[in-house]
């Protein structure tokens, strides 16, 4: 369909663009910005006056729960939630049941995503077979099946020799490897930030060094093997410094932070609200400020939702034995807009951290409104006030501290390949 989006404030960091301008779409791709091209006649027009028009967001880490237990969600429900949150593409975690460690499972995920017809799904494959950290996965086959990256998540690799072989294999095929830096021995059975507060609350702690030691060790192997490396969900200010130093040495590394760690600290654990039981744990206020500064200066390239939906029972247990994770795809936009209001970012930075930067580090032609690019874009009302509840939420998970809270800023329309797949009206 030929579509013209008229009168919106178009924000596209790739083109250093922030102005009132029209967008024209044809055959699922961006045709032109500005004046209507000669011979083009829109079959549908969208009035975007008062709205922001920008590239659709790309989430670097979402658990779509399929294949796996359907009571926690599925590809259809979570990609619908993604569209409502402004994410036209989501990277699917590999810790499904079974894991994303074979082309056959990857094909199932991609087929179900196409059948759902919501947000696009970009599978991230398992770095080792079964995520067990012992045998290398068939990385080239996973790449050929459509994986945009490989990771072992927080599952430990048996030893550094195996990890080195994994990275050498990945480097051969120029596959992005995503690390969630955490030393499993130092983590032990902890689930809170190790410090005076965790001691007062009687919660077993995870020291800062569980992250920083693992990060330092991995950076040495990255330097040796020359792979493209991305460090996900940094939680400490010291880790941000380590990444900045690695970049200064010329390493091809990038990093992201989960939304939750920009907003909350260990102080939230005083209420023993299991919605704040997260991996990595919420850390100190100094760490939160260090993460925000890293986001502001570009050391941290992107913001991830770290979306992990759970059924109600998973969070009803005592804090220490509840399941970690937060449902967050639908609240990233309003919370990022709040950071804009507080002066940490501007709107161009917001779009860059949620769209352009993820596309660049994944190596995909997306995250911008260049003519010829897929028409994956969103229309946002930055002034809309709404409440996240049963009527407005699409995710199967309600495990969020924002449930039934007032939020400001909402996606009005999401288009994928030039097709309107979400519309409030």
């Amino acid at each position: 369909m030929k579509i013209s989006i008229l009168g919106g404030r178009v924000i596209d960091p790739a083109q250093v663009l922030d102005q009132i301008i029209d967008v024209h779409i044809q055959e699922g791709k961006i045709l032109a910005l500005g004046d209507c091209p000669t011979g083009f006649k829109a079959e549908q027009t969208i009035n975007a006056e008062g709205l922001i028009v920008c590239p659709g967001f790309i989430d670097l880490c979402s658990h779509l729960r399929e294949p796996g237990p359907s009571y926690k969600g599925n590809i259809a429900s979570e990609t619908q939630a993604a569209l409502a949150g402004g994410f036209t593409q989501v990277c699917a975690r590999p810790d499904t049941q079974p894991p994303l460690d074979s082309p056959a499972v990857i094909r199932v995920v991609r087929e179900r995503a196409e059948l759902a017809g919501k947000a696009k799904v970009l599978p991230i494959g398992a770095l080792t077979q079964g995520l067990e950290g012992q045998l290398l996965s068939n990385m080239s086959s996973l790449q050929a099946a459509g994986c945009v990256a490989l990771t072992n998540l927080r599952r430990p690799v048996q030893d550094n020799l195996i990890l080195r072989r994994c990275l050498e294999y990945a480097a051969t095929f120029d596959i992005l490897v995503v690390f969630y830096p955490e030393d499993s021995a130092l983590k032990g059975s902890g689930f809170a930030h190790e410090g005076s507060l965790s001691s007062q609350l009687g919660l077993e702690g995870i020291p800062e060094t569980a992250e920083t030691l693992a990060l330092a060790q991995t950076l040495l192997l990255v330097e040796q093997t020359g792979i493209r490396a991305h460090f996900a969900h940094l939680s400490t200010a010291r880790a941000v410094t380590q990444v900045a130093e690695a970049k200064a040495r010329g390493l091809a590394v990038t990093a992201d932070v989960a939304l939750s760690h920009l907003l909350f600290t260990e102080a939230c654990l005083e209420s023993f609200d299991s919605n704040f039981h997260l991996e990595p744990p919420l850390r100190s206020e100094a760490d939160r400020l260090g993460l925000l500064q890293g986001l502001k200066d570009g050391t941290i390239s992107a913001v991830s939702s770290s979306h992990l939906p759970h059924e109600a029972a998973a969070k009803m247990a005592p804090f220490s034995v509840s399941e970690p994770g937060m449902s967050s795809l639908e609240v990233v936009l309003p919370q990022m807009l709040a950071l804009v209001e507080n002066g940490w970012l501007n709107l161009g930075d917001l779009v860059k951290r949620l769209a352009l930067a993820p596309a660049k580090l994944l190596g995909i032609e997306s995250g911008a409104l260049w003519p010829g690019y897929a028409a994956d874009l969103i229309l946002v009302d930055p002034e809309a006030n709404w409440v996240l509840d049963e009527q407005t939420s699409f995710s199967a998970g309600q495990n969020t501290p924002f449930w039934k809270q007032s939020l400001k800023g909402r996606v009005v329309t999401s288009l994928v390949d030039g097709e309107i797949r979400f519309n409030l009206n």
Side-chain angles (χ1 to χ4, degrees):
M1 179 177 288
K2 297 178 181 180
I3 300 175
S4 288
I5 301 172
L6 307 177
R9 178 185 175 184
V10 175
I11 299 179
D12 184 8
Q15 303 181 59
V16 197
L17 182 65
D18 183 351
Q19 69 180 86
I20 307 296
I21 193 171
D22 299 337
V23 180
H24 307 285
I25 298 168
Q26 181 172 281
E27 296 180 354
K29 297 184 182 298
I30 303 295
L31 178 64
L33 274 63
D35 295 335
C36 188
T38 303
F40 176 85
K41 185 174 182 180
E43 298 168 288
Q44 181 177 0
T45 59
I46 300 174
N47 181 7
E49 291 184 17
L51 304 179
I52 292 170
V53 180
C54 66
F57 303 151
I58 302 169
D59 190 46
L60 293 170
C61 181
S62 287
H63 205 315
L64 303 183
R65 294 303 189 185
E66 189 177 358
S70 59
Y71 56 85
K72 288 183 180 287
N74 54 51
I75 287 172
S77 67
E78 304 317 300
T79 53
Q80 177 66 64
L83 287 179
F87 292 93
T88 54
Q89 300 180 76
V90 292
C91 293
R93 287 170 44 151
D95 54 334
T96 50
Q97 299 176 13
L100 305 186
D101 64 352
S102 73
V105 182
I106 299 299
R107 283 193 291 270
V108 167
V109 168
R110 296 187 68 187
E111 287 169 2
R112 291 182 182 177
E114 290 178 11
L115 184 63
K118 306 297 182 182
K120 296 175 183 176
V121 173
L122 309 174
I124 295 182
L127 186 66
T128 62
Q129 293 180 29
L131 296 170
E132 294 175 354
Q134 297 179 9
L135 301 174
L136 280 64
S137 64
N138 191 334
M139 300 180 194
S140 60
S141 295
L142 293 177
Q143 184 184 45
C147 286
V148 294
L150 298 171
T151 186
N152 225 55
L153 296 170
R154 298 185 180 278
R155 313 285 181 87
V157 176
Q158 181 172 303
D159 57 52
N160 285 327
L161 180 60
I162 292 177
L163 180 56
R164 177 185 174 182
R165 297 294 180 242
C166 286
L167 303 190
E168 289 171 339
Y169 187 173
T172 301
F173 293 93
D174 191 31
I175 302 173
L176 177 70
V177 180
V178 181
F179 298 95
Y180 293 75
E182 185 174 73
D183 185 291
S184 58
L186 285 174
K187 176 191 177 184
S189 55
F191 48 85
H193 174 57
E194 184 178 279
S196 59
L197 183 61
S198 63
S199 297
Q200 293 170 19
L201 299 176
L203 302 176
E204 194 165 352
I206 302 174
E208 174 194 84
T209 48
E211 177 167 291
T212 56
L213 184 63
L215 178 55
Q217 178 176 274
T218 304
L219 282 170
L220 291 173
L221 287 173
V222 168
E223 190 167 12
Q224 181 177 21
T225 58
I227 64 160
R228 290 189 298 124
H230 178 74
F231 293 94
H233 297 181
L234 298 187
S235 67
T236 65
R238 175 58 183 158
V240 177
T241 302
Q242 289 175 282
V243 170
E245 291 169 348
K247 286 185 172 185
R249 295 202 311 273
L251 295 191
V253 298
T254 52
D256 74 56
V257 60
L259 173 72
S260 54
H261 288 70
L262 297 174
L263 306 176
F264 306 116
T265 70
E266 59 179 341
C268 295
L269 275 58
E270 293 186 52
S271 64
F272 292 97
D273 183 347
S274 60
N275 283 318
F276 295 109
H277 181 187
L278 305 173
E279 291 182 336
L282 295 172
R283 297 197 181 271
S284 69
E285 175 66 3
D287 286 314
R288 187 183 78 89
L289 293 175
L291 293 168
L292 281 167
Q293 185 58 46
L295 185 68
K296 186 173 184 176
D297 65 28
T299 301
I300 295 176
S301 305
V303 176
S304 163
S305 77
S306 189
H307 179 68
L308 187 58
H310 286 296
E311 78 285 10
K315 289 292 189 177
M316 287 181 177
F319 189 95
S320 60
V321 292
S322 63
E323 294 188 50
M326 183 182 292
S327 177
S328 51
L329 275 171
E330 295 165 302
V331 299
V332 171
L333 173 63
Q335 296 309 312
M336 289 290 285
L337 286 170
L339 293 180
V340 171
E341 280 195 14
N342 292 330
W344 283 106
L345 303 168
N346 58 43
L347 287 171
D349 293 329
L350 182 154
V351 177
K352 185 174 183 180
R353 300 292 183 262
L354 293 175
L356 180 60
K360 281 188 171 182
L361 67 90
L362 291 172
I364 59 177
E365 195 175 87
S366 189
L369 301 179
W370 293 109
Y373 272 31
D376 299 339
L377 51 86
I378 60 174
L379 281 64
V380 173
D381 183 349
E383 301 300 323
N385 292 295
W386 60 289
V387 174
L388 183 70
D389 57 21
E390 293 88 351
Q391 281 71 48
T392 59
S393 176
F394 295 93
S395 173
Q398 297 180 4
N399 51 306
T400 171
F402 298 106
W403 193 249
K404 296 193 176 179
Q405 300 296 311
S406 179
L407 302 167
K408 183 180 179 181
R410 194 174 188 188
V411 174
V412 175
T413 305
S414 296
L415 293 87
V416 178
D417 288 332
E419 177 186 346
I420 297 175
R421 295 192 181 178
F422 173 78
N423 198 357
L424 277 180
N425 302 322

